[in-house]
Amino acid sequence: YAVAYTPMMARAAIAEGKIVFIHALEGAETLLNTREDTLFWAQRGVAMINPVHMLDNEFGGAYIPPGISGIYNNPCGLLREIFSPEKRRGLTPKGRLALINMAVSGIMIDLAHMSPDSREGAMAIVRNLEVPPMVSHGTLKAIRNEERGLTDEEVQELYALGGVFGVIGSPNGDPYKP
């Protein structure tokens, strides 16, 4: 096995037949208030952070799972989608700043649980800063037509920017259900 801190390190280790581990934080919105916060985590070896996880938060909107999962995974986002779809949340100004701070500190940005609007905002940041984005666990829209799914074009851009995409192996697209 190997520990990777960048997509390039992960690819090199995989090419050697190794299992790759990435020191990551998922749902770390309360840990990213300043540039110093991101430097703190980077200095401790955190290589990837998912700043928007399961629920809409101060950084942006989370994806809404299909069916009953949407009720307990992101109830506020689901209600907003039903009653005020024009108010769907992308990245907030605080979210944009957190992602910029992460990128400048050398921490990869995980797009896995972001709403499509948040994901597009994050992609604009990584394009501008020329840092590789990451989807630690996601689905393909062509296989599962849901908002978490990435289009073929999004996956191609992710790879063109040097990023990594981890496909969920669960047959129903939800790693938390059998």
Side-chain angles (χ1 to χ4, degrees):
Y1 73 91
V3 176
Y5 296 96
T6 67
M8 291 68 64
M9 289 176 71
R11 286 191 183 102
I14 290 168
E16 294 174 10
K18 295 180 179 177
I19 295 171
V20 177
F21 292 93
I22 298 171
H23 188 181
L25 297 172
E26 187 173 48
E29 66 270 7
T30 60
L31 306 175
L32 300 174
N33 293 307
T34 66
R35 169 92 199 277
E36 290 74 24
D37 290 345
T38 57
L39 288 170
F40 173 87
W41 293 111
Q43 290 166 354
R44 281 151 184 80
V46 173
M48 178 186 74
I49 295 177
N50 182 322
V52 177
H53 182 256
M54 302 304 277
L55 295 171
D56 293 357
N57 64 28
E58 62 187 329
F59 293 143
Y63 90 100
I64 300 170
I68 192 88
S69 296
I71 294 171
Y72 64 85
N73 279 337
N74 192 354
C76 293
L78 180 62
L79 290 172
R80 185 173 25 261
E81 185 71 17
I82 293 168
F83 296 107
S84 300
E86 73 284 356
K87 294 183 180 177
R88 185 74 172 129
R89 288 185 57 196
L91 290 178
T92 65
K94 185 172 183 174
R96 285 189 290 280
L97 181 60
L99 269 57
I100 291 167
N101 288 339
M102 287 169 54
V104 170
S105 299
I107 296 174
M108 291 180 285
I109 299 165
D110 186 3
L111 313 173
H113 288 276
M114 292 182 178
S115 70
D117 293 334
S118 291
R119 191 169 59 235
E120 179 50 41
M123 287 298 289
I125 290 169
V126 300
R127 272 185 226 110
N128 186 46
L129 296 177
E130 298 179 356
V131 296
M134 183 161 202
V135 175
S136 60
H137 53 293
T139 61
L140 300 169
K141 199 165 225 24
I143 296 172
R144 292 193 52 85
N145 188 17
E146 59 189 40
E147 72 173 40
R148 182 178 188 167
L150 272 66
T151 65
D152 292 347
E153 294 79 17
E154 288 174 312
V155 173
Q156 289 169 357
E157 181 177 19
L158 188 94
Y159 282 117
L161 292 169
V164 175
F165 182 75
V167 179
I168 294 173
S170 175
N172 66 2
D174 186 342
Y176 305 108
K177 291 183 180 178

